């Protein structure tokens, strides 16, 4: 089953001086996939993510998430759709410093009015998966960058989203923390069957995906699937990036 269906998507910025950031992009993501989006700086990756996450509207084309068109939703319905169907992980974690780690993680449930007992059950479940049970009562300034990202992944997953969206989730992490975070993305995808789309310019992080879509100048440039090993996939990704050029 298709979780995400992007059809002939275009985005033109500006009115006097126009710039085509996305030019007729089409692709689908199936249930259970872990897809990476790569491309040089300025190729349209964040623009694409913003359309899918309904932060911004496309100039033309269609997006369907589990056969719903989020662009047709308004106000409360759109807010509910985003909160229930989508999970977001950002480069800079976006945690609230006034809350504890645990309070940050259950925030989507708090906003949905879920009873505290159920919130606690879900918090226990998800914090175990991410190995952060011992951090629940800490404040955000008491944890490392890697721990902060694991916290934000827990928050993104606590309501079992249809689609997990990540924009450069390892962009602010050192290589060791990046590896831990990518291993967790892989585990969540494999064991919890979370369909994931991740934007990254980092070949190492991308090598954890099952498929990579390469975007250049707002158009689809290439697509590769993971073969036998992550190491081999990493080398293939490096090769495509080198061919594509544009300086990552
Ligand atoms: P990426 O995430 O791949 O680096 P972006 O999606 O951020 O690329 O940007 C793609 C192109 O669109 C860039 O050339 C950028 O300058 C342009 N762009 C992005 N946002 C806007 C905007 N709000 N107004 C005008 N141009 C924009
Ligand atoms: Mg970007």
């Amino acid at each position: 089953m298709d979780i995400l269906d992007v059809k002939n998507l275009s985005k033109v910025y500006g009115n006097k001086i126009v710039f085509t950031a996305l030019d007729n992009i089409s692709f689908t993501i199936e249930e259970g996939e872990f897809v990476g989006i790569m491309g040089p700086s300025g190729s349209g990756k964040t623009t694409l993510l913003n359309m899918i996450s309904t932060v911004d509207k496309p100039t033309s084309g269609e997006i369907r998430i589990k056969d719903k068109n989020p662009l047709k939703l308004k106000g409360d319905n759109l807010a509910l759709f985003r909160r229930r169907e989508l999970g977001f992980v950002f480069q800079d974690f976006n945690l609230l410093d006034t809350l504890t780690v645990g309070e940050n993680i259950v925030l989507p449930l708090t906003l949905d009015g879920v009873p505290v007992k159920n919130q606690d059950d879900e918090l226990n479940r998800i914090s175990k998966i991410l190995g952060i049970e011992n951090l629940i009562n800490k404040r955000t300034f008491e944890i490392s960058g890697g721990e902060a990202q694991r916290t934000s992944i827990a928050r993104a997953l606590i309501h079992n989203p249809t689609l997990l969206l990540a924009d450069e989730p390892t962009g602010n992490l050192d290589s060791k923390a990046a590896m831990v975070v990518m291993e967790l993305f892989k585990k969540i995808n494999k064991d919890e069957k979370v369909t994931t789309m991740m934007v990254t310019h980092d070949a190492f992080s991308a090598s954890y995906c099952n498929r990579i879509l390469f975007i250049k100048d707002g158009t689809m440039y290439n697509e590769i699937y993971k073969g036998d090993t992550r190491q081999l996939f990493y080398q293939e990704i490096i090769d495509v990036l080198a061919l594509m050029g544009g300086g990552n």
Side-chain angles (χ1 to χ4, degrees):
M1 189 181 95
D2 286 348
I3 291 294
L4 175 68
D5 194 352
V6 172
K7 216 181 268 168
N8 304 120
L9 199 70
S10 293
K11 176 66 178 179
V12 179
Y13 287 117
N15 36 44
K16 280 219 176 75
I17 303 166
V18 297
F19 180 82
T20 304
L22 285 180
D23 190 4
N24 217 24
I25 292 243
S26 299
F27 67 95
T28 59
I29 294 183
E30 277 178 43
E31 188 162 25
E33 275 200 291
F34 183 6
V35 175
I37 307 284
M38 298 194 84
S41 177
S43 57
K45 304 182 296 294
T46 296
T47 300
L48 175 63
L49 207 60
N50 286 346
M51 310 279 117
I52 294 169
S53 60
T54 71
V55 168
D56 202 357
K57 274 190 170 17
T59 307
S60 59
E62 222 187 295
I63 291 169
R64 300 190 82 82
I65 296 172
K66 223 160 117 186
D67 271 333
K68 271 192 219 133
N69 184 344
L71 297 164
K72 292 250 163 77
L73 301 173
K74 288 199 180 71
D76 285 354
N77 284 335
L78 180 59
L80 274 181
F81 177 85
R82 296 187 62 193
R83 203 154 74 220
R84 293 192 178 152
E85 306 289 342
L86 303 176
F88 298 98
V89 178
F90 304 93
Q91 177 167 355
D92 47 11
F93 322 132
N94 281 17
L95 299 175
L96 297 176
D97 296 331
T98 48
L99 304 181
T100 64
V101 165
E103 288 164 348
N104 266 284
I105 295 173
V106 298
L107 193 58
L109 303 183
T110 311
L111 292 172
D112 252 2
V114 172
V116 172
K117 169 76 179 76
N118 301 31
Q119 290 191 24
D120 286 344
D121 291 346
E122 288 303 303
L123 179 59
N124 283 335
R125 180 183 70 86
I126 203 75
S127 56
K128 257 189 216 116
I129 293 171
L130 287 147
I132 49 175
E133 307 102 300
N134 56 336
L135 303 179
I136 295 305
N137 295 316
K138 294 207 179 208
R139 305 296 292 270
T140 54
F141 50 80
E142 296 176 303
I143 61 176
S144 70
E147 290 169 341
Q149 197 56 301
R150 281 147 72 190
T151 301
S152 96
I153 296 170
R155 179 185 56 188
L157 291 177
I158 192 133
H159 60 331
N160 297 309
T162 302
L163 180 64
L164 178 63
L165 298 168
D167 195 359
E168 302 279 4
T170 56
N172 276 336
L173 303 179
D174 62 45
S175 57
K176 188 159 172 272
M179 191 175 92
V180 172
V181 161
M182 289 319 302
E183 289 286 348
L184 283 168
F185 269 108
K186 188 174 100 178
K187 176 171 122 174
I188 288 157
N189 171 253
K190 210 162 157 268
D191 299 349
E192 311 296 316
K193 313 263 184 289
V194 177
T195 309
T196 306
M197 180 180 133
M198 173 181 78
V199 167
T200 183
H201 71 275
D202 177 46
F204 173 77
S205 299
S207 69
Y208 282 87
C209 298
N210 303 118
R211 174 162 64 114
I212 309 283
L213 300 172
F214 295 88
I215 296 176
K216 187 178 183 181
D217 300 333
T219 63
M220 205 57 88
Y221 175 83
N222 203 342
E223 175 185 35
I224 58 174
Y225 282 84
K226 186 187 217 150
D228 291 337
T229 70
R230 193 181 63 71
Q231 283 70 19
L232 218 58
F233 197 39
Y234 173 77
Q235 196 51 55
E236 281 181 61
I237 292 166
I238 296 279
D239 292 344
V240 176
L241 291 176
L243 271 179
M244 185 160 58
N248 274 271

